[in-house]
Amino acid sequence: MPVLDLFRLDGRLALVTGCRRGIGLAIAEALAQAGADIAGVSRSLEAEGSEVERRVRACGRRFYGFRCDLADRAALRELLGRIASELPPVDILVNNAGVILRAPASQHPDEYWDQVLAANLTAPWILAREIGRTMLERGSGKIIFIASLLSFQGGILVPSYAASKGGVAQLVKALANEWAPRGVNVNAIAPGYIATDNTAPLRADAARNRAILERIPAGRWGEPADLAGAAVFLASRASDYVHGSILVVDGGWMGR
């Protein structure tokens, strides 16, 4: 098979959470460009006419939209029921949705901790377990978590976020250990400093922005589209022998 054909996703269905903007929007569009139909999930997704729907349909692919607060356990269960009854089998799961709440550790309230862990770790775990079960039954599937540089580092003012993303990194390895022999690939992408709504406070702080840019060898903030190639790779047959990996896309930050 020609090597570029390994990256094609024709005939596959990808479920992308947090698809309305930023990294999730860029990944949904990239997977659609590679040939996949997209089921998009977002807490604030428009019923119709969303930007992600427009971009997916412009690629000639089908789009299925679901509005869901993934941190709400009952809503998540309802979503899983709808996915099972309304969609073809999911071939690719991208666990992208997440939240970050900032406060010094000594003043970090339980509400922040609970909300961040529910959205960033518990919901992705439940989605991976439930959709992964159907992949195991078929003997194939691709699961991609969105990790973080804070899967490796502690960060500042974000203890709940760092804990959640550290947990994501370990969950990827745990699932890969069990599921690799059964044809399901579980991996993660760890974005560096990407220009999204979540990082707007950092970019607005002149001193912090300068310190970040001085450490990035590439000399710039990343854009959501910088993650597109990594996502298509991990979703495709090109990554069939890749299991339990955390692919860092960070402009060189971790190498500095």
Side-chain angles (χ1 to χ4, degrees), residues 194-214:
I194 307 297
T196 66
D197 291 347
N198 278 349
T199 58
L202 299 179
R203 287 177 283 121
D205 182 328
R208 188 86 172 93
N209 184 60
R210 182 171 59 254
I212 289 169
L213 286 174
E214 286 174 350

Side-chain angles (χ1 to χ4, degrees), residues 24-187:
L25 173 59
I27 288 177
E29 182 177 20
L31 298 181
Q33 288 174 347
D37 294 325
I38 305 296
V41 180
S42 173
R43 183 174 59 183
S44 56
L45 187 65
E46 299 87 346
E48 58 182 27
S50 66
E51 178 66 14
V52 62
E53 179 178 4
R54 185 189 68 76
R55 294 191 190 186
V56 169
R57 293 194 185 281
C59 298
R61 310 312 308 168
R62 296 183 182 90
F63 179 80
Y64 311 88
F66 297 91
R67 190 169 189 167
C68 180
D69 179 357
L70 296 175
D72 180 331
R73 190 75 62 89
L76 177 55
R77 292 290 183 188
E78 181 180 352
L79 172 68
L80 284 164
R82 291 187 63 194
I83 289 169
S85 64
E86 298 176 18
L87 297 181
V90 174
D91 303 291
I92 302 157
L93 169 63
V94 181
N95 271 320
N96 166 72
V99 64
I100 186 167
L101 297 172
R102 293 178 171 85
S106 62
Q107 302 166 37
H108 209 77
D110 290 348
E111 292 78 12
Y112 279 19
W113 181 271
D114 292 343
Q115 184 177 345
V116 171
L117 268 291
N120 294 8
L121 185 58
T122 301
W125 151 242
I126 292 173
L127 284 165
R129 182 188 65 201
E130 298 303 310
I131 294 175
R133 185 181 297 121
T134 69
M135 293 176 173
L136 292 169
E137 291 169 355
R138 301 194 308 274
S140 66
K142 303 280 186 172
I143 299 177
I144 305 168
F145 288 80
I146 300 302
S148 169
L149 294 183
L150 298 196
S151 296
F152 312 102
Q153 301 175 323
I156 300 170
L157 305 179
V158 288
S160 56
Y161 185 83
S164 72
K165 292 301 184 177
V168 163
Q170 293 303 104
L171 180 58
V172 164
K173 298 169 191 174
L175 293 178
N177 287 341
E178 292 192 36
W179 293 356
R182 301 178 63 182
V184 176
N185 298 73
V186 184
N187 295 288

Side-chain angles (χ1 to χ4, degrees), residues 208-234:
R208 188 86 172 93
N209 184 60
R210 182 171 59 254
I212 289 169
L213 286 174
E214 286 174 350
R215 175 167 169 165
I216 299 173
R220 65 174 177 87
W221 283 77
E223 296 294 334
D226 288 318
L227 304 175
V232 171
F233 167 64
L234 291 178

